[in-house]
Amino acid sequence: MEKNKNQSQTPLSPCTPSIRCIVKLGGAAVTCKNEFEMINEEILQKVSEQLRQAMIVSSEKPPGMDWSKRPGGSEICCNPEEFGDHSAMECSPFIVVHGAGSFGHFQASKSGVHKGPLNKPLVKGGFVATRISVTTLNLEIVRALAREGIPSIAISPFSCGWLTSERHISSADLSSVAKAIDSGFTPVLHGDAVLDEIQTDVYGVYDRPPAEPDAILLKEIAVADDGSWSVVKPKLQNSIELAVSAHDTTGGMKTKISEAAMIAKHGIDVYIVKAATSHSLRALNGDLRGSIPDDWLGTVVRSLR
């Protein structure tokens, strides 16, 4: 989400451990884009495994933490004796954020919840329905991480009191995130997203809609101190067509690059990469801090400094 210059944001506590990585899971990657409220179980499991490998140093898988019955299942996996003084439970401080994919779009588009106002009964009902949908997905992602032994905790921006002004964040209280990290948990935040024909599960950012045959993967985007950005790899001769679908309430890929640029200008590299691939694992492991290898598929947004 885009942050405006007047944004009020509660900083993380000075005692909060340094965040090693903030991982954004694209909604189109962890859900089945064309199937209503359908999770891509295979991709989600692979992503969760890769996060465990990146976060937990021990080669031994820690005990699972999802002790609830799964839909369609009959067994509950809970063995307290597995825990003890389990050193494999110590993990690096990560924050996970995910999109909505095939969750939330139907409810938001039917009710016009992204347009408001909330005093309209349909909009208010759609607001509730959209939150039910996106928090349902959030719970399933938290559970998938927990089954890998990651101490994941769901944190909802709405419940934390985040506010927007003309669809830009005006207040973002991060105290719950900081407290979770201080306590050794992995916060899992989520946002509302809509289905979009351009925002498919691809390797990174392209110079045009990726479905077009001549689309070129933009491997490196450089950001100046003022937040402006330009493509440095590969060198392009033509202009970039970052189209935005009329029903995309999140602003499309151009907005996402601008948001990534606002992070990158502070010296923090941002990687946009296809989930559950060797390319995403290399990004998670910090293997791309220097020059970008030719065999890596993804987009890195980083400062010119």
Side-chain angles (χ1 to χ4, degrees):
M1 293 178 284
E2 185 177 347
K3 302 174 182 177
N4 66 17
K5 294 181 180 179
N6 296 321
Q7 175 180 328
S8 172
Q9 178 172 304
T10 303
L12 296 177
S13 166
C15 299
T16 301
S18 298
I19 305 302
R20 179 181 163 192
C21 190
I22 300 175
V23 178
K24 166 69 190 307
L25 304 178
V30 296
T31 69
C32 299
K33 186 172 91 76
N34 297 318
E35 298 185 50
F36 177 61
E37 294 189 342
M38 178 69 68
I39 295 172
N40 190 326
E41 299 285 356
E42 181 181 355
I43 293 294
L44 180 55
Q45 180 180 349
K46 184 66 175 179
V47 166
S48 300
E49 291 174 355
Q50 288 190 352
L51 282 171
R52 170 175 56 79
Q53 294 169 10
M55 295 172 64
I56 300 175
V57 177
S58 174
S59 59
E60 182 182 358
K61 182 179 177 179
M65 303 177 191
D66 182 4
W67 300 349
S68 297
K69 184 178 178 180
R70 300 189 68 192
S74 58
E75 295 183 0
I76 298 176
C77 183
C78 175
N79 186 359
E81 296 179 357
E82 289 183 333
F83 286 82
D85 296 327
H86 213 294
S87 60
M89 291 183 62
E90 299 178 4
C91 60
S92 300
F94 273 50
I95 296 175
V96 177
V97 185
H98 67 83
S102 60
F103 289 71
H105 166 69
F106 171 80
Q107 295 86 350
S109 61
K110 282 293 183 181
S111 61
V113 71
H114 59 290
K115 298 178 181 178
L118 280 176
N119 60 6
K120 291 185 177 181
L122 176 61
V123 174
K124 182 172 290 185
F127 187 92
V128 173
T130 300
R131 293 210 68 249
I132 289 173
S133 182
V134 296
T135 54
T136 296
L137 173 61
N138 178 248
L139 175 60
E140 291 305 309
I141 291 177
V142 167
R143 294 185 68 177
L145 297 174
R147 287 192 292 273
E148 290 296 316
I150 297 172
S152 50
I153 294 292
I155 294 183
S156 170
F158 174 83
S159 299
C160 291
W162 290 29
L163 301 174
T164 60
S165 175
E166 296 182 344
R167 295 169 58 187
H168 299 301
I169 296 178
S170 59
S171 176
D173 187 350
L174 299 176
S175 59
S176 295
V177 176
K179 290 176 182 177
I181 296 170
D182 289 343
S183 301
F185 294 107
T186 298
V188 183
L189 290 79
H190 64 89
D192 290 314
V194 297
L195 296 176
D196 186 86
E197 62 183 3
I198 299 172
Q199 297 175 22
T200 56
D201 186 15
V202 294
Y203 283 105
V205 179
Y206 291 75
D207 67 331
R208 66 197 67 208
E212 295 187 10
D214 297 328
I216 299 173
L217 177 64
L218 308 180
K219 301 192 73 171
E220 187 170 356
I221 295 175
V223 180
D225 289 342
D226 62 359
S228 61
W229 54 270
S230 60
V231 178
V232 297
K233 186 177 182 180
K235 298 293 184 181
L236 299 177
Q237 296 180 345
N238 300 319
S239 60
I240 300 175
E241 303 173 13
L242 297 175
V244 178
S245 174
H247 64 263
D248 188 344
T249 61
T250 64
M253 189 56 71
K254 185 174 182 179
T255 298
K256 291 176 174 60
I257 295 177
S258 297
E259 291 164 354
M262 296 305 292
I263 298 172
K265 75 175 187 177
H266 296 292
I268 303 170
D269 290 356
V270 177
Y271 299 93
I272 303 172
V273 58
K274 186 174 181 179
T277 63
S278 60
H279 309 289
S280 61
L281 183 59
R282 291 168 72 179
L284 285 169
N285 285 336
D287 297 339
L288 307 170
R289 293 173 182 170
S291 59
I292 303 301
D294 291 336
D295 64 346
W296 183 72
L297 298 180
T299 302
V300 59
V301 185
R302 57 174 41 150
S303 173
L304 280 169
R305 289 179 288 174

